[in-house]
Each structure stands twice: as C-alpha cells, then as structure tokens.
Amino acid sequence: MEVPYNLHFEPSCEEVVLIAPGSSGGMKQSLIRAVFERAVEQRLTVLAFDYPYYYRGDEQPSSQLREEVEAMAEATDLLSEAGAKSLHIIGKSLGGVVASILLRHTRQMEREADKLGEITEPDGPWSSLSDRVRLTVMGFVMPDITIEDLAAYRVDIIQGQFDRFANVMDIRDMLDNADRPDIGVTEVVGADHSFRDSSGDDIYVQAAVNLIEW
C-alpha cells in the first residue's frame, strides 16, 4: 500500500479485520489503537491504515472520497492474501462512510455480474461475497451513510449518546422505515461522537470497544 498501515498477521484465523479511521487522528487515534489491540487479543489478522489526504497533511478528504475508497479497496486486497473466509470492517465515522461506498460499489458489481451470468468475481477478492463481509460502524453519520448502501450486509452500529451527527433514536427510526430490524444499534451512555466525555477525555473508548462482536 502507498499509505501507512499497521498489520498484525495471525495464521489460520477464520476472519480478518480492517479498521478504517475517522477524519482526524488516523491510526494514532485512541479508539483506533484500542480496536487494533483488541483484535490482536482476539488472535485475528488485523490491518489499520491512514487515508492518503491525512498522510499528505491535507485538511480535507478527496472529492467524493475517491482516494479514500481506493485506499480501503487496496487494504481489502492485501487482507485477502491472509486466506480467511470472512472480512470484518470496523469503520469510525468517516471510515463507516467510506466502507458504505465501497460495499455499495461491490454490490452493484455483483448485480451486474449476475445479469451477465458471470460466475467469476467481478471486482476483487471480496466481490460476490456479501454473506462474508460485515461492517461495524462506530459513530454513524447521517445522512452520509444510507441503509441502501448497506443492503445485503450484516451491520452493527455503536453510537455515543451525545453524538452530534446522529442520535440512537433517529438511527432506529431510519432502520424501522427501511425495514432493517436485523441491524443492531447500541448506545454508549455519556459518550460523544469519538466516545469521549464532555471534557474531551477518552473515558468511553473501552466501553465502545467492548461492544464490538468478534
């Protein structure tokens, strides 16, 4: 990969984990470090990466998140070499948005392949594998992530009580309207969008990480 990444390889694991950071802090953010460490404790192959704009020192992501989606796709390709049966993407805020775009694109390619009667994988090692890819969003951003983007995928959402981008009630209403009762939403009481308290301390990070289903 052309951007910095941190990879821990665990031989013979059934599932590999890709951690996509939020818009600031990159892999150094306390939440991302905590998720990575927990995945290692679970004896899973795990990769965390930085976005190209963050690595360059730019303040904003690329137009329509093209570079960020490409970086995530490259990361999934790298993880595919581990030979695991399934992929678990854990996206913090922007990471969830980028993952939703990548999954939507993968689903579209999958449908096009079905129409053409193709049996080959049309767009990378995880294509045509909707049942083998799942997503955990830590800090759901409305309306940047839509339920339509997440069709056919298993999704879990972990949200701070005082998240400025969406509260749990609004997310649950959206899921009810979309008839997606299978998507779990769990609230971290007292936490903001980055699972901090009102003074900015990361006291809810471990509580959020404990809610991830491995």
Side-chain angles (χ1 to χ4, degrees):
M1 294 180 64
E2 296 181 0
V3 295
Y5 67 92
N6 188 12
L7 173 65
H8 170 81
F9 177 73
E10 194 73 35
S12 303
C13 65
E14 293 292 315
E15 183 173 68
V16 292
V17 179
L18 172 63
I19 305 173
S23 61
S24 61
M27 293 184 295
K28 297 179 180 178
Q29 187 185 48
S30 60
L31 177 66
I32 302 305
R33 294 199 313 268
V35 174
F36 191 96
E37 291 169 2
R38 184 64 57 85
V40 172
E41 292 173 2
Q42 297 293 319
R43 302 184 66 83
L44 295 170
T45 292
V46 54
L47 184 149
F49 68 99
D50 281 335
Y51 300 116
Y53 82 91
Y54 182 80
Y55 175 57
R56 291 193 300 263
D58 296 342
E59 294 185 359
Q60 298 294 330
S62 62
S63 175
Q64 299 182 11
L65 300 179
R66 288 191 178 93
E67 282 189 333
E68 291 68 36
V69 172
E70 289 175 0
M72 182 177 286
E74 189 177 350
T76 65
D77 288 346
L78 182 59
L79 279 173
S80 72
E81 299 175 6
K85 295 180 179 179
S86 60
L87 169 67
H88 183 187
I89 302 174
I90 302 175
K92 165 66 175 76
S93 187
L94 176 63
V97 178
V98 173
S100 71
I101 296 172
L102 178 62
L103 294 179
R104 180 183 65 207
H105 174 68
T106 299
R107 182 62 174 160
Q108 289 171 343
M109 295 295 292
E110 187 177 74
R111 288 174 174 170
E112 290 300 317
D114 287 343
K115 289 179 182 178
L116 296 173
E118 296 178 357
I119 60 173
T120 55
E121 295 175 2
D123 191 40
W126 301 108
S127 301
S128 300
L129 299 176
S130 299
D131 59 333
R132 302 186 190 179
V133 179
R134 64 187 179 105
L135 171 64
T136 297
V137 180
M138 305 188 75
F140 193 94
V141 180
M142 294 178 64
D144 294 343
I145 303 175
T146 68
I147 298 305
E148 289 76 12
D149 290 342
L150 306 177
Y153 296 98
R154 174 186 166 187
V155 182
D156 292 295
I157 299 170
I158 300 171
Q159 200 78 358
Q161 180 184 9
F162 301 116
D163 194 308
R164 68 185 185 277
F165 292 104
N167 61 51
V168 168
M169 183 175 296
D170 289 339
I171 296 172
R172 286 176 176 159
D173 286 344
M174 177 186 66
L175 296 176
D176 287 342
N177 292 333
D179 194 23
R180 287 297 304 270
D182 56 298
I183 297 180
V185 185
T186 307
E187 182 178 72
V188 180
V189 177
D192 68 3
H193 184 64
S194 295
F195 304 100
R196 300 170 300 195
D197 64 10
S198 58
S199 64
D201 291 333
D202 298 327
I203 65 172
Y204 297 110
V205 164
Q206 288 302 324
V209 173
N210 289 341
L211 293 171
I212 299 173
E213 294 188 16
W214 301 101

